[in-house]
Amino acid sequence: MKGASNEALESPGSTGAKAQTSDGFLAVKTPPPEPAKDIHVRSLVIFAFWAIVIFLGLPVWWWTTSIHRSRLPLQEMLEWADGKACRPTFPLQIVVDAPALPESDAQNLVRTIQHALDDLNEFSAHHLRLNLGDSMALAKPTADKNKNSNNTRGESLFAPHIRRDEVALTIKLSPAEGIQSPAAELRPHSTVLDVSYPSNQSPSTLSTSSILANVVASRLQGLFAEEQASIAYILMTNQPSGHSQHSSNGNSHATQASLSASSPREQRPGRSRTLSPELADKLARRTTRSLKYAPTYHITISLFTPTSVPSLWDIESAVEEYLAPLLNSFTISNFTVDTQVQLYATFSPSVQHPEFDENLRAWTLRTEDLSGFINAAEWPLSPSIGAGPTLNFVLYVPDAKMAPLMVKESHATSWLIPQWGGVTILNPQKPELGTPQPVQSLTKDAIRPALLTFSHQLLLLLGAPDTPPSFPLQLQTLTRVRAASLLFSASSTMGSLARLTVALPSIAIPENVAVAVDRTLSHLRETCSSLRDGKFNEALKHARVAEAEAERGFFDKSMVGQVYFPDEHKVAVYLPLLGPIGVPLVMSALKDIRRLRTVYRLR
């Protein structure tokens, strides 16, 4: 057995040859030394692998996986978000037309009214600027103003850069018979304020001029009080922390916006616009109720009935006569109108069945059921059509057996759904004897009350103010308010994008985002400049573009995709791939480095 074991140990196939020495012990035979040529070839192979990794693999990996980050003006974007880049002001140009007064008396009267206005104004960011002018000066275009330089009144007091579309209000002063004190009356369908003073009292005297100035100044302050409050509320809600003060008490809160801007007379850094809790709550409800501004709105007018009638309605002529004039006069946005009829439209299952009230002799709906009146599951009401928001106006004609139908608590037949639309119940006419009969079709006159209600609801949804009692002036107020809202909205979006860029260094910033940011900042500057110059239509146009570009840059699809791919995911992807390749390369490189160090020490 010992001989067999020795033969096994000495067989040629064994990995290490062993021999028995003279003293009987086994000795391991060492392999012959590796030729220097083979060692050199192995070192060259290792070097070639590492050269490929370093000089080819890493550059290709870096080039294919690097994230492109365009340079953004982060500091300027944050300044716009913090309100440091622009302090918007709203100078309203008021033209005083007094053809019956001598030039010197008219100038003195305008100065007196201006001083009275400045004393009443507590909000220096929004101020009224009075200019003396006449219809000839207003009618002349800018290019023809040099031809009328001999008109001393227009040249001295009517600023040459003011155009007709920049005039917020025209005051027409005229003497009147049979009145004892000055009176002011606003024309309901124009931007003209008629001011009458007694014909036997000349405004040239100091007492008469002061009384007339106080009457005009008080009237002007009352006309634009709600606009001042709306703009102050917007500025206050968009102030960064530390710039506005809030104190809360239950659901009421007193707000005070301290805004510094230049006044026509003086700097008023300490003056502030204080909003009462009731007014602040009213403005907050209006903001919550109204839709966000859009250049185009889509209006859908729907007729719903639980039976098969009425199936016909003269809606086209009704819209043309009762709704189109309002839409055409609303110059800051465009509208498209669609109509539809839905028969056998049942109530939503969440709404309690109407109950008959013996006292009212009518069927009633509970107020808490109004929010679920719309049966969204079965009624074909599209939430949006095209790019702009959709306003839904529902005309519901109840079954003749369940008429009249009204709201139990308020006895109303219409209600508003914030940021969505409105609902109007059109009850069939009750004959003198018997129950109401089914209506086969609705005429234009029958639809008229519903469309007038829809018109009022439309103005509420668009954020139109309650005062002044003149639609052109309300439209001007809405223009200024919307311009301010879009200015702050775009500025806030720029700040959010800047903070996102700093917080996520690995997020991609493509060139189109940088272009959108540049365009946004450019239009923001134009908006601020136009507001300061009193060009509010141009300000709204630039603010609208700035808001669109800011939203486009912030919600770019390439940026949004990178937000949800953190660095931990990259490690999980690369480690299984590089582990099996990297370990042999590293170990072989370390082994060769140790060999070189041993050779160096032996030398």
Side-chain angles (χ1 to χ4, degrees), residues 91 161 163 166 527 529-540:
H161 64 278
R163 300 180 302 179
E166 298 175 8
T527 302
S529 177
S530 298
L531 288 177
R532 194 176 294 114
D533 296 338
K535 302 177 181 179
F536 302 113
N537 291 327
E538 295 183 10
L540 179 61

Side-chain angles (χ1 to χ4, degrees), residues 482-514:
R482 291 300 194 183
S485 300
L486 293 176
L487 171 68
F488 285 108
S489 177
S491 301
S492 177
T493 304
M494 286 291 98
S496 300
L497 180 57
R499 288 185 287 271
L500 179 67
T501 303
V502 175
L504 299 177
S506 61
I507 192 172
I509 304 178
E511 288 295 334
N512 57 329
V513 173

Side-chain angles (χ1 to χ4, degrees), residues 285-549:
R285 288 194 302 269
R286 178 187 298 174
T287 303
T288 306
R289 177 185 61 205
S290 59
L291 284 168
K292 186 179 180 181
Y293 173 78
T296 302
Y297 295 95
H298 305 281
I299 298 176
T300 300
I301 303 176
S302 306
L303 171 63
F304 289 93
T305 177
T307 62
S308 60
V309 291
S311 59
L312 299 175
W313 60 335
D314 193 6
I315 188 62
E316 294 185 3
S317 59
V319 168
E320 187 67 26
E321 183 171 349
Y322 303 123
L323 189 61
L326 173 64
L327 302 182
N328 294 333
S329 60
F330 208 89
T331 56
I332 63 176
S333 297
N334 298 321
F335 297 89
T336 60
V337 180
D338 296 325
T339 62
Q340 63 176 346
V341 177
Q342 178 69 24
L343 306 179
Y344 300 103
T346 58
F347 285 125
S348 174
S350 61
V351 176
Q352 183 176 344
H353 193 76
E355 299 176 351
F356 186 77
D357 192 313
E358 293 291 345
N359 297 326
L360 298 176
R361 304 297 300 173
W363 294 86
T364 59
L365 290 169
R366 299 184 306 170
T367 303
E368 54 267 26
D369 291 334
L370 297 183
S371 59
F373 181 82
I374 302 298
N375 190 352
E378 298 182 9
W379 294 6
L381 295 171
S382 177
S384 62
I385 302 175
T390 299
L391 296 170
N392 293 279
F393 295 103
V394 174
L395 177 60
Y396 184 81
V397 180
D399 188 356
K401 300 178 182 178
M402 199 175 294
L405 180 65
M406 63 182 63
V407 181
K408 184 176 183 178
E409 289 78 5
S410 61
H411 305 169
T413 57
S414 63
W415 61 91
L416 185 72
I417 302 178
Q419 298 187 7
W420 188 84
V423 179
T424 297
I425 298 175
L426 182 61
N427 291 301
Q429 294 293 333
K430 184 176 181 180
E432 297 181 359
L433 297 176
T435 60
Q437 299 298 320
V439 180
Q440 300 298 326
S441 63
L442 297 177
T443 62
K444 180 179 66 176
D445 294 335
I447 305 173
R448 178 179 179 274
L451 288 185
L452 295 181
T453 302
F454 291 156
S455 300
H456 177 68
Q457 293 174 344
L458 175 63
L459 293 177
L460 295 177
L461 292 171
L462 296 178
D466 300 329
T467 60
S470 171
F471 182 74
L473 287 181
Q474 292 179 2
L475 189 59
Q476 289 185 10
T477 297
L478 190 59
T479 300
R480 290 184 281 268
V481 171
R482 291 300 194 183
S485 300
L486 293 176
L487 171 68
F488 285 108
S489 177
S491 301
S492 177
T493 304
M494 286 291 98
S496 300
L497 180 57
R499 288 185 287 271
L500 179 67
T501 303
V502 175
L504 299 177
S506 61
I507 192 172
I509 304 178
E511 288 295 334
N512 57 329
V513 173
V515 172
V517 170
D518 292 338
R519 292 195 61 187
T520 300
L521 296 178
S522 175
H523 283 281
L524 284 176
R525 289 189 288 267
E526 292 292 336
T527 302
C528 190
S529 177
S530 298
L531 288 177
R532 194 176 294 114
D533 296 338
K535 302 177 181 179
F536 302 113
N537 291 327
E538 295 183 10
L540 179 61
K541 180 180 66 176
H542 290 296
R544 182 170 58 195
V545 178
E547 169 72 4
E549 291 294 330

